[in-house]
Every structure is written in C-alpha cells, then in structure tokens.
Amino acid sequence: MIPTPQEHALALDSLVSPIVQVERLTRVIATRAQRTVILDDLTFTVPAQSLFAINGPSGSGKSTVLNLLTGIDCPTSGKVIFAGKELRGRSENALARWRGRNVGVVFQFFQLIPTLTALENTLLALELGGGGGLSRSQWRARALDCLNTVGLAEYTRRLPSELSGGQQQRVAIARALANDPPVLVADEPTGNLDSTTAHQVFDTLAGLIERGKTVIYVTHDRELAARASARIELLDGRIVGEHGASAVVRAERDGGVS
Amino acid sequence: MSRFFSASLRKSVADVTRRKGRTLLVTLGIFIGVFGLTVINFTEDTLISAFAFTRGAQATQPDFQMTVDRLDPALLPTLRGVANVKTAQYVSLLSVCWQTGGAECHVGIDLVSYPDLQQANTFQLTAGRYPGPGEIVMEQGDRSLHSFAIGDSVTLASGGRSTEAKVVGLARTSGVNPAATGDARAYMSDAGLQQVDDALGDPMEPRPDGQQTPALQHHIQVTFAEAGGQAASTAATALQQALRTHNVTVLDSGYAPKAPASTLDTIGGVFVLLRTLALLAVALSALLILNTITTLVTEQTAIIGAMKAIGATRGAVMRGYLLSVAIYSVLATPPAIAVGLYAGNLLASALAPQIPLELGPFAVAPWVVALSLAVGLGVPALAALFPLWNGTRVTVREALSAYGVDAGQGRRAAPRLGQRLTWISQTTWLGLRGLFRKRWRAALSLTTLSLAAACFLVVQTATASVNNTIGAVRAPLAADMTVNFRDPAYFSRIQAQLQALPNVAGVERYGGDNATTRWGTLQVSGYEPETQLYHYQLTSGRWMQPGETNVVLLSDAALAKASLGLGDTITLTNNYGASNELTLTIIGTVKQSIDVLGWIGAAVLPVDTLYRLKGVSGDNASQASGAQIIIGAQDRSQGAVNQLAAQVSAVVNPAGASSDDPGYYSGANGTVDTIHEYVTRRQADAYLLYYLLYALALVVGMVGALGLANALVTSVLERRREIGLLRAMGASGRRVAQVFWVESLSLGALSWLAGALLGLPLAYAFVQTFAWTVMPVDFSLEPLAFAASFAAILIIATVASLAPAWRASRLRIATALRYE
C-alpha cells in the first residue's frame, strides 16, 4: 500500500519522536514439557499520535506484544521504552500505578465491573489512576465528558448487563480515556462485535488520534489493520512486515529487506 | 447510589449485596461464632454476679432465732453485747393472703419488716425506694405469681378483711424463689406492718398444740462469731436468759437451718469446657471467612486483573475486599450479640435453679459486649488477610488468561493410577482427582471438616460417659427401691409388714445425703455393715465391721482429689445446724460413681454414723429406726418392681399417696422411689448439659459444612472450562454434578478418618478434664459413635455439595468455554 502524503509525514515525524520504542524484544515460555518462543527478537517503534496496528494470524504473538508494551507481561529479554522511560525492573504495584496514569487499556471482552454503572466504571479508573491531574470534585464531570466523547451520554446509569456489546466496549474506551493517558492500547477491540458495531467502535477509537492520543491496537482483521497509519505484521512471533514503524523485519536480519 | 460514595466503595457494597446466598452464608458463619461466645460469656458473668450476691447474703444468714412476744428496742444493745454474738436484729413477720382476684385466696404472702430496713442487709433493693406506712416493697420474683408494677396497689386479706398497700419498690433476696414455692414475699416498715395487722383485725393462727396465737410474729435473729459447738449453745442460753430478765417471753427458739452453700463448682467446670467449644466455633468461623474470601477472590480473578490493568495496586484491591468483609461483620455482629444476650439470659435462668442461685435484674457487663464486638469485627478481617494477600498476588496476565484447565502441572502418580483403575468411571475419577488440585485449600477444608467430625465424636463420647456414669451410680445396689420416712421412728412400726410383702428379698436401713470437706462436696451413703443389698466393690482397704462407727470408705476419685490415703482421717460437715461435723478414718476405697455436677466423689459410712452426721439423735438413730430404707425384690423385672413399689407405698401411706410416675409415690408418711425411676430422673437432669454440648457440635458441624460448600464453589469456578468441555462432549448435568458430589464425599470421608483419629484422644482428654473439673465420670466409648459421626459427615458433605453441584450442572457451555 502506498502511504498518503499525510501518512508519510507522520511516519517521518515518528522517526524523530516515537512514543514507544521496542528493542530486541523476546518472550519465551518454558514449562516442564517444552520451551516455547512466543516473540523472537522484535524491534520497532510506535509513532506518537498514530493509529498503530499489530496485525497477524492467531498465535502470532500479537496480544503478547501488547501485554509487554503495557507492563502486563515481562519480556524474557529486550527493552520497552515508553515515552522515554524503560519499563523493566518495576514492581507490579509500580507498573499498575504507571498504567493508570500513562496507558488506557481496552480489552476484547470489555472487562467492565459488572456491579458498577457506566459512570461508576469510568469513575473507578479515575480513583485508581490518580485522577488525571484533576481534583476529586472534578472527577464526575471528567467521567461524564469521557462518556459523552464515546457517545454514551444518555447511558451513564446503566449497568453493563443493560448495555449492548458495542455500548459496553465504548464504556471501556471511556474508562481508558478517564485519566487522559497519552496512549490507548486495545486488544482485539472489535473481536467480540458484529461488523456494523465493530466499525462504529473502531471509528470511535480512530477519532481519538485527533485528540492527540496514540492508539495501539491488535487485530487479525486485515481490513482494520489497513486503516492504521503505522503497523507491524507478525507471524510466528516475528515481524514479517511493517509500515511506518521503523521495524526490523525478520527478512532483514536474515539478509534481505522487505 | 449517592455521588458522595466512591466507585470503590460501591463495588465493595455490590459484592455483598449481589450474591445474597454467599452473604447469608458468611454472615451466618460470623453470627454463629459471635453468638456462641456471647451466650457463654453473658451466662457465666450473670451467674458469677448472682453467686457473689448469694455469698454476701449467706454471710448474714442467722445461726439462731428466737420467737418472742414483743420486741424491745432498748434490749438490742444488751443482746448484741452477749459473748460470741456477732449480730442480732429484730424482724417481724405476718403471713396473710395476697388477693390477686376473685373471692378465694390463692397466693400466700409473707410480710417482713425490720426496724431499719436499710440496715437489714438480708435483701437488696433493686428498684424504687424503701417503704413507709401504707407502702410495700415486693420481691421481684412475686411477679411470677401475679403481675404488678411499681405504683400499683396490692390487696392484703385475712379473715374476711382486706387492706391495700402501694408498691414503691422491688427487692431481691437470696434463697427466696416465689416461682418455686408459690408463696410471695414483701417488705414493709414496722409501722406499715402494724398498720396492716390492725386493719386486718389482729389476725390469729393456730399453733401445733391447738392454741391460737397472733399471726404477727416477732423474731430475734442472731449470728455467732463461732457458730458451732459449745460456744454457740452458751451464747444461745445467755440470750434467752437476758430476755427473760427483761420480761420478754421466748415462745420458741432454735438453730436456723442454713441453706446449702451454693457453689459455682457445679457449673464452673462446665463453663471451662463450653468456652473451649465456643472458641472452637469462633476459630471455625474464621476458617469459614478464609474459605469464603478465597471463593470471592477466585470468582473475581478477571475483575482483579482488569482493576490492576487500569491502575489499581494490590493494596487498593485488598482494601476493597476488606471493606466487603467489614460489611459482612457489621451485618452479623450486632444481631449475634443481641440474640446471644437473650439466649444467655435464658440459659442463666435455666441453670440458676440447679445451683441454686437467685438471679438479679438483667444487666449486661460491658466487657461481654466489647469482647464479642472485637471478635465479630476483628476475627473476620484477620481471617480474610491471607486469602486476600494470596489472591491479589495474581498478575494481570494470569488473571485475564485463566484457562481453568491446569495444563502440565498434574501429579504424575495420578495419571498412572488412573490407567490401572479403569473400572472407576471417569467422572468419578475426575471428582477424586479434584481433591488435591489446590493442596492448601484441600488442607483447609480437611481441617475444618475433621474438626467438625472430631467435635461430634467428643460430644457423643462425653454425653455417653456422663449418662453411663449416672446410670452406674446405683449399679452396686441390689435393692430396687428406696423409702424415705418423714418420721424415722415410723419405720419400726411397719417393718414387719414390709418384710411380709410378697416379692420382698430384703429390707435394710440406709441413708443418703451430702457432706462438705476441705476439697469439695461428697455424695454420702450409709449402709448396714452386714448389708446384703449393697454389693460394694472394694478397690483397696476393707469394708466396715459391725459396731464400727467413725470409719468411712471413699471413692477412688474422692481419695485422689483429697490426696489422702488409707488410715488418714477426713472431716465431713453436714449443712444443718451446729455440731454436725464428724472426723472419720478412711479404711478403704470403693468403686462408686456420683450423679451430681460439681461434687468430687462418694463416701460410704455405717448407716448410724450417717444419721449422726445428719443430726438425727436419740431414739431416732437407734437400730429400730430408719430415716431411709432400701428394699430388694426377688423378681427384679420392672413390672414386678413397680407392683412392689405400689404395695410398699400402700403400707407406708395407708391414707393414700400421689404418684406422677409409675415408680414414684409420695404420701403423708413417706415417699417410695424405685431405683429405675431415680436413675431415669437423674439422667434427665443432665439433658441440659447434653443439649448445650450437642448445640455446639451442631454449630461446629454447620461451620464445617459452610466451609466445604465454599471450597466446592471455588472448585466449580476454577474448573468451569473443564465443565464446559464435559458438557460439550455429551455429559449430562447430572454427570457433571456427580463430579463435585464425589469430590465432596471424598473430602468428607477423609475428614471423618482424620476426625476419628483426632477425635479419639480429644474425647479422652475432654472426658478426663470433665471428670476433674465438673464431676467424676468413667470414659465410655460407644462404637456406634464412629458410625454416627461417619453418617453425619456424609450428610454434611452431601448437603454442602448440593448448591455447587447444581451450579456446575447448569453452567452453559458457551459461557464456560469463553476465554481471553
């Protein structure tokens, strides 16, 4: 695919100021039975204010990459540098606090607290994530604003069980926005939705770029991956293709450039 | 919910309100532990307070009383000045009718007055104030005869006349129990009592000699510095002399019978054991909390992961769940305390008469409530810490990718064994293999259930031991009934008639009473030295010889308690009057159990020696007389014995006798009581103790069942994908439920085994402790106890598995197989 001039400009910008840098990232899972290499020596960058896709078939390691970027998982070797700071060596609690302030996470199966309303789920993120720099008295307004951003201003008092799948995912997006993090990560955000709803939700995510966010998402859907301004393609734990990510493609390491 | 509550707080509240079944189970567990502890502590505190009051009141009971024709206030200092007189006080008494309604008088009332009511120190004013003329202070127990309140008027009547007095206060008097006696008691001022006497026209009452005497009696009550022996007699004589010198006529005099000294030994030991069981229930409640929080955390693993993903630290997550635990505690603890206080009051009221004690007004000691609050609020929080710490340790990745099938960490031995035992169905095998998936949780469930099984065994063994011991008290007796005569001399007049009755094998003089020693109270029996109806079992020494008087045989338990040996002497004191104290030489020991809680053992004396101890003197203690006799039957079948008892009663009470039970007769001259009837009554007296022990065992069993249910629920949660797979492969809901039922039964069976191994030494230790602190009992183990506890555990396991197994069988395949 030939990048548009806009995309090319963004790509050039990212080369100058990536928000995430990954260097020689490897993840190996060893059990008594066997040793499995989930990710094999990945190197790439995520440009700031980009819609960044991690694409690949099932079992290619996409979700693992996302987990490593957000500190949910720890690499066996390699580095993840997030906004100029390396994630390695932090405790679980420190990572949790860091995530609350710097990363908004959106899961495939929403993972909303079932006993809290849409508004309360969003408020919970503010309580746990430090409040986004706001005073406590401003949290409610912030949460309502986030829900309004995702088009759910009229559903603030609904429990997750009273919302459709698409609405639940949009609540999850509002929750992820609550602390105004610079980066949102979404693991198969539309994987559990019908195609129409999926496009609506994805449009919501994509629209966040204009608010200065960087959105990193995992998808096995090539069509959704094509909408990204930068992306990498994984296969069997290796990068086999990239666009605008300054990634080291496996073929390069083997001697060729793709 | 209000915007003033944080989202975290709302989640904690929702975790409690959303799962009503679990909330009910947990609050019930906390409730049970706090309730049991509150009941025990409140009851003991109430009885100890009543005991302190009784002890204080007993110190003021008179040793000697004189009835006089008038009271001269000027004489009181003279009387108090007599040597050996510690205290002397005047008291007046008028017995009339308390008219509660209708023309007939059904309630007698004793009106008592003292010159100075506040100095009387024989009763305690519990409400209101002391009375003036026209006023009256009623005994609080009078309300059991007829209801009244302070401010009401009571009608007093005699001989067709009546008058009223206004109730201005309530009193509590040690040893006075209107509910038991049917007679009311009240206090008035001297002027008030005289006013009533005048209003009723100076009523008269007949004396035993047929003469009429004023119903208003005047007494002088005296306590001595030295109550027994010659000093008391000398002082009594001096007092009467002093009165006669001042022209006061002494109408009657005598040593006042002291009420038997109440002793908390009766129940003190019981409370030690009950408190141990109550603390066990609290500990098991803590285990229940531990189990429940583990279940809750397991259920919310994905939510914990999501919270950590959006910024929650481990501490923040823990605080949220601790708040839920606090809500459980707050829901359970106040009702448990309230109900515990109520039940404790009932228990104290049931136990008090057996000691005996007079309970005061309902009062709650602050420490009882404070301790229960601390336990109810603190123990669950402490118990929740470990599972919360453990459960919130999960990483985000682990929490969101829990597959429910523990791949690669199975025990190698299990698959190999499974390949050999192919005759066991796979669903059964799945249930068995589920037992130790999580070792520590299995250990926790096993511990809880094993304790429940052990507790059940302990309680069964204890009740069987007590019951068999009581049943064995009369075992050495070859007699089949006892007869108690109101007049000991009466026996000599009918002895020949009794011996002539058909089916009589033998008639012997006998005595039964109690005596106090330095080490406690003994149950005392007296027999003829050449008895044919008491088959004594000597364990050391020798039996008494004819003509021997100052000798005694003790039970082994009594000898051990007193740390005495053969040839030593022991002083026995009877509770009636002066000079009833004997020092006897121990000549042997016998196998003889007792049936009274709190006493230390048995003593066997020559029957004449026992009569001396009881104060039966002169001709009444001669060979021809007998306060009590025992009769043996030739045909000892129950029907024949009951028939003989009726015939004996007809001889003893020719005017007739009342009989509430087949083997018991009570008439004007005496009572007839078969041994069978006596043993049945004594065993029934211990039922309260049995109910308490079984109630606590039930509590422990319930907590064990709740813990097992929680463990199974957790197992269902963790194995939901396994369940989904089974259902996808064709397993019916019933087969799925069977997996968890097998797991539950297996846990139950293992627990029973551990409980039996643990329970046997515990039961022995419990019975030995009971024997040392409450009442000597022989350890008695019934094999059926094991079978019964096994059945109980299987029932508990089945009941506990019902809900989790049902839940597992209803799990939808799509829901079960869904994963991140």
Side-chain angles (χ1 to χ4, degrees):
Chain A
M1 187 178 117
I2 300 172
T4 65
Q6 214 171 8
E7 289 168 344
H8 186 70
L10 275 171
L12 284 175
D13 282 345
S14 75
L15 290 175
V16 178
S17 56
I19 190 149
V20 179
Q21 287 172 279
V22 173
E23 295 177 7
R24 308 204 68 170
L25 195 67
T26 300
R27 180 72 172 98
V28 177
I29 293 178
T31 64
R32 264 193 302 200
Q34 61 187 16
R35 182 175 181 277
T36 307
V37 178
I38 307 296
L39 297 177
D40 187 4
D41 199 12
L42 305 187
T43 299
F44 66 92
T45 61
V46 178
Q49 296 179 32
S50 66
L51 189 62
F52 188 93
I54 302 173
N55 181 233
S58 296
S60 57
K62 308 186 297 297
S63 296
T64 305
V65 170
L66 211 61
N67 288 343
L68 292 171
L69 292 186
T70 55
I72 288 175
D73 198 358
C74 296
T76 305
S77 63
K79 286 185 194 177
V80 175
I81 302 167
F82 205 112
K85 293 180 184 170
E86 193 176 344
L87 291 188
R88 196 208 300 248
R90 301 191 194 195
S91 67
E92 278 288 323
N93 280 347
L95 284 170
R97 278 190 286 267
W98 171 82
R99 266 195 303 273
R101 286 160 177 75
N102 294 281
V103 182
V105 183
V106 180
F107 300 98
Q108 178 180 0
F109 286 102
F110 326 136
Q111 299 297 351
L112 298 177
I113 309 296
T115 52
L116 299 180
T117 64
L119 179 62
E120 289 164 351
N121 266 283
T122 313
L123 279 169
L124 184 65
L126 281 161
E127 285 177 24
L128 299 174
L134 302 172
S135 66
R136 198 178 185 96
S137 59
Q138 295 172 302
W139 286 358
R140 187 180 173 83
R142 171 74 184 161
L144 287 169
D145 183 51
C146 290
L147 286 167
N148 187 46
T149 300
V150 300
L152 291 180
E154 293 171 8
Y155 298 88
T156 59
R157 294 190 179 193
R158 298 270 185 99
L159 292 172
S161 58
E162 296 166 340
L163 298 170
S164 67
Q167 289 168 336
Q168 288 186 60
Q169 194 61 295
R170 279 190 273 167
V171 172
I173 294 170
R175 181 178 67 181
L177 286 173
N179 288 296
D180 197 23
V183 178
L184 267 76
V185 298
D187 189 352
E188 300 276 8
T190 60
N192 205 32
L193 306 171
D194 62 86
S195 60
T196 306
T197 312
H199 280 287
Q200 288 170 352
V201 168
F202 190 82
D203 287 343
T204 305
L205 270 176
L208 297 174
I209 306 302
E210 292 166 19
R211 290 172 172 254
K213 306 296 179 191
T214 302
V215 176
I216 305 171
Y217 65 99
V218 161
T219 183
H220 63 273
D221 187 322
R222 284 192 163 272
E223 195 182 320
L224 284 178
R227 292 182 61 177
S229 57
R231 64 178 180 275
I232 57 173
E233 290 170 21
L234 295 182
L235 180 66
D236 295 335
R238 298 171 182 174
I239 298 176
V240 296
E242 66 91 20
H243 172 74
S246 304
V248 175
V249 177
R250 193 64 187 201
E252 275 183 359
R253 283 178 55 82
D254 292 339
V257 177
S258 70
Chain B
M1 289 188 72
S2 164
R3 63 176 64 189
F4 298 110
F5 295 107
S6 69
S8 302
L9 172 61
R10 278 177 246 181
K11 180 188 177 296
S12 300
V13 172
D15 283 341
V16 172
T17 58
R18 186 167 158 249
R19 285 288 166 89
K20 294 181 178 57
R22 173 189 296 141
T23 298
L24 183 65
L25 282 177
V26 173
T27 51
L28 190 62
I30 300 172
F31 180 96
I32 287 169
V34 174
F35 167 79
L37 195 67
T38 305
V39 168
I40 297 298
N41 285 341
F42 175 83
T43 305
E44 191 180 34
D45 182 73
T46 300
L47 291 175
I48 287 175
S49 300
F51 178 69
F53 170 76
T54 301
R55 268 289 157 91
Q58 280 179 346
T60 62
Q61 276 187 10
D63 299 311
F64 183 70
Q65 180 169 287
M66 296 172 285
T67 304
V68 296
D69 62 339
R70 63 187 179 88
L71 294 174
D72 183 351
L75 262 181
L76 205 49
T78 306
L79 298 175
R80 286 173 177 163
V82 170
N84 196 33
V85 168
K86 189 174 166 189
T87 65
Q89 69 176 0
Y90 290 162
V91 57
S92 298
L93 172 71
L94 177 63
S95 297
V96 296
C97 166
W98 176 16
Q99 202 136 42
T100 57
E104 288 189 29
C105 177
H106 294 291
V107 183
I109 183 167
D110 291 334
L111 304 174
V112 181
S113 77
Y114 298 90
D116 186 345
L117 284 168
Q118 294 190 50
Q119 298 292 325
N121 72 13
T122 55
F123 68 91
Q124 178 189 31
L125 188 71
T126 59
R129 59 176 174 81
Y130 291 103
E135 297 174 339
I136 192 167
V137 165
M138 300 289 281
E139 182 69 25
Q140 61 189 22
D142 292 342
R143 284 182 289 194
S144 64
L145 303 176
H146 186 71
S147 65
F148 61 88
I150 292 177
D152 291 347
S153 289
V154 295
T155 304
L156 307 168
S158 177
R161 295 191 185 199
S162 66
T163 186
E164 290 200 342
K166 184 181 173 186
V167 179
V168 296
L170 293 175
R172 170 187 168 200
T173 311
S174 173
V176 172
N177 191 351
T181 62
D183 290 322
R185 187 182 182 95
Y187 298 95
M188 303 184 86
S189 62
D190 275 350
L193 190 66
Q194 188 61 56
Q195 203 176 56
V196 169
D197 189 60
D198 293 341
L200 297 180
D202 298 322
M204 306 291 278
E205 63 183 21
R207 285 199 317 218
D209 60 6
Q211 298 291 317
Q212 292 288 312
T213 187
L216 179 58
Q217 298 175 7
H218 302 292
H219 305 288
I220 303 174
Q221 293 176 337
V222 178
T223 61
F224 298 125
E226 199 179 313
Q230 193 58 41
S233 296
T234 305
T237 305
L239 285 165
Q240 293 176 81
Q241 181 59 40
L243 288 168
R244 278 194 283 272
T245 303
H246 289 84
N247 298 318
V248 174
T249 305
V250 178
L251 302 172
D252 196 6
S253 68
Y255 292 97
K258 284 191 185 294
S262 300
T263 171
L264 274 182
D265 292 343
T266 303
I267 53 148
V270 173
F271 273 106
V272 167
L273 296 171
L274 287 179
R275 183 174 289 106
T276 304
L277 289 172
L279 289 173
L280 179 65
V282 170
L284 287 171
S285 293
L287 283 175
L288 176 67
I289 297 292
L290 206 149
N291 250 326
T292 301
I293 300 303
T294 304
T295 305
L296 179 65
V297 168
T298 304
E299 193 177 77
Q300 298 202 354
T301 297
I303 292 175
I304 292 171
M307 288 174 69
K308 282 189 167 186
I310 66 175
T313 61
R314 191 177 185 182
V317 174
M318 282 185 66
R319 279 193 294 275
Y321 289 110
L322 280 173
L323 187 57
S324 295
V325 171
I327 294 172
Y328 289 137
S329 296
V330 167
L331 284 175
T333 302
I337 292 175
V339 178
L341 292 175
Y342 175 76
N345 194 41
L346 289 178
L347 181 60
S349 301
L351 288 175
Q354 298 190 28
I355 299 171
L357 288 175
E358 173 68 20
L359 297 184
F362 179 83
V364 180
W367 73 267
V368 172
V369 175
L371 181 61
S372 293
L373 273 174
V375 166
L377 300 177
V379 167
L382 287 172
L385 279 178
F386 174 72
L388 283 180
W389 181 257
N390 198 46
T392 54
R393 196 173 56 179
V394 66
T395 64
V396 177
R397 185 180 67 84
E398 289 166 352
L400 296 179
S401 61
Y403 282 94
V405 176
D406 212 349
Q409 292 183 27
R411 309 281 170 261
R412 297 219 171 140
R416 283 206 297 269
L417 196 58
Q419 284 173 7
R420 290 187 182 177
L421 299 174
T422 53
W423 52 272
I424 299 177
S425 76
Q426 287 306 305
T427 45
T428 302
W429 192 236
L430 270 173
L432 289 172
R433 288 184 64 178
L435 272 180
F436 294 101
R437 289 178 65 252
K438 291 282 167 68
R439 286 181 185 171
W440 69 266
R441 193 170 66 221
L444 195 61
S445 301
L446 268 176
T447 303
T448 313
L449 270 180
S450 301
L451 281 174
C455 185
F456 190 76
L457 190 62
V458 166
V459 166
Q460 254 202 323
T461 306
T463 53
S465 298
V466 170
N467 206 47
N468 291 343
T469 298
I470 292 174
V473 168
R474 297 292 171 110
L477 271 180
D480 298 285
M481 67 191 72
T482 60
V483 182
N484 292 342
F485 294 101
R486 302 197 196 288
D487 176 6
Y490 184 64
F491 168 61
S492 60
R493 298 201 288 274
I494 62 168
Q495 183 176 9
Q497 279 178 273
L498 290 173
Q499 285 171 329
L501 286 172
N503 196 28
V504 168
V507 177
E508 292 180 7
R509 292 163 67 230
Y510 158 77
D513 209 321
N514 66 80
T516 54
T517 70
R518 264 201 299 146
W519 303 277
T521 306
L522 292 169
Q523 190 168 23
V524 182
S525 310
Y527 297 99
E528 304 275 11
E530 291 156 324
T531 177
Q532 302 297 313
L533 295 180
Y534 180 62
H535 296 172
Y536 52 87
Q537 297 174 53
L538 278 173
T539 54
S540 71
R542 62 174 179 84
W543 183 247
M544 55 190 97
Q545 302 285 337
E548 270 190 314
T549 53
N550 292 336
V551 296
V552 63
L553 291 94
L554 297 180
S555 62
D556 296 303
L559 195 73
K561 193 83 173 182
S563 302
L564 294 171
L566 298 185
D568 290 341
T569 58
I570 182 170
T571 302
L572 306 184
T573 306
N574 195 264
N575 292 314
Y576 294 99
S579 303
N580 292 329
E581 191 177 277
L582 295 178
T583 299
L584 308 172
T585 303
I586 302 168
I587 60 169
T589 56
V590 287
K591 190 170 171 4
Q592 176 64 58
S593 48
I594 63 173
D595 55 12
V596 182
L597 295 181
W599 292 1
I600 62 170
V604 178
L605 314 177
V607 63
D608 288 334
T609 306
L610 177 62
Y611 285 170
R612 277 198 292 128
L613 182 65
K614 285 160 72 81
V616 178
S617 58
D619 291 342
N620 289 338
S622 74
Q623 290 285 341
S625 301
Q628 292 167 293
I629 61 172
I630 46 177
I631 300 177
Q634 293 169 5
D635 180 357
R636 304 191 73 187
S637 63
Q638 194 169 338
V641 168
N642 284 346
Q643 193 176 11
L644 178 60
Q647 291 168 339
V648 167
S649 177
V651 171
V652 171
N653 301 302
S658 63
S659 173
D660 293 328
D661 299 298
Y664 184 84
Y665 298 88
S666 176
N669 297 329
T671 59
V672 180
D673 194 7
T674 63
I675 300 299
H676 174 79
E677 189 58 38
Y678 171 83
V679 168
T680 304
R681 273 203 315 277
R682 297 305 297 165
Q683 287 177 327
D685 286 345
Y687 282 175
L688 180 63
L689 172 67
Y690 301 160
Y691 293 152
L692 285 172
L693 289 174
Y694 273 107
L696 276 164
L698 184 65
V699 161
V700 172
M702 281 173 66
V703 173
L706 294 175
L708 178 59
N710 266 329
L712 290 169
V713 166
T714 307
S715 184
V716 169
L717 284 168
E718 289 177 340
R719 299 165 73 181
R720 64 186 183 279
R721 294 189 179 91
E722 192 175 317
I723 295 167
L725 283 169
L726 287 174
R727 295 298 302 274
M729 288 192 294
S732 65
R734 193 172 165 184
R735 288 298 284 264
V736 169
Q738 184 186 337
V739 172
F740 296 94
W741 183 56
V742 167
E743 184 176 339
S744 181
L745 285 182
S746 308
L747 264 176
L750 281 173
S751 302
W752 173 80
L753 194 59
L757 291 172
L758 178 69
L760 204 51
L762 273 182
Y764 184 78
F766 186 90
V767 170
Q768 291 305 110
T769 308
F770 187 92
W772 188 252
T773 59
V774 181
M775 176 180 114
V777 296
D778 297 319
F779 180 74
S780 181
L781 182 67
E782 292 181 6
L784 275 180
F786 289 99
S789 65
F790 183 69
I793 286 295
L794 288 185
I795 291 170
I796 288 173
T798 301
V799 169
S801 71
L802 283 176
W806 180 84
R807 193 173 167 178
S809 69
R810 297 290 297 261
L811 207 55
R812 293 179 59 204
I813 301 173
T815 309
L817 290 179
R818 202 174 88 175
Y819 58 89
E820 285 283 332

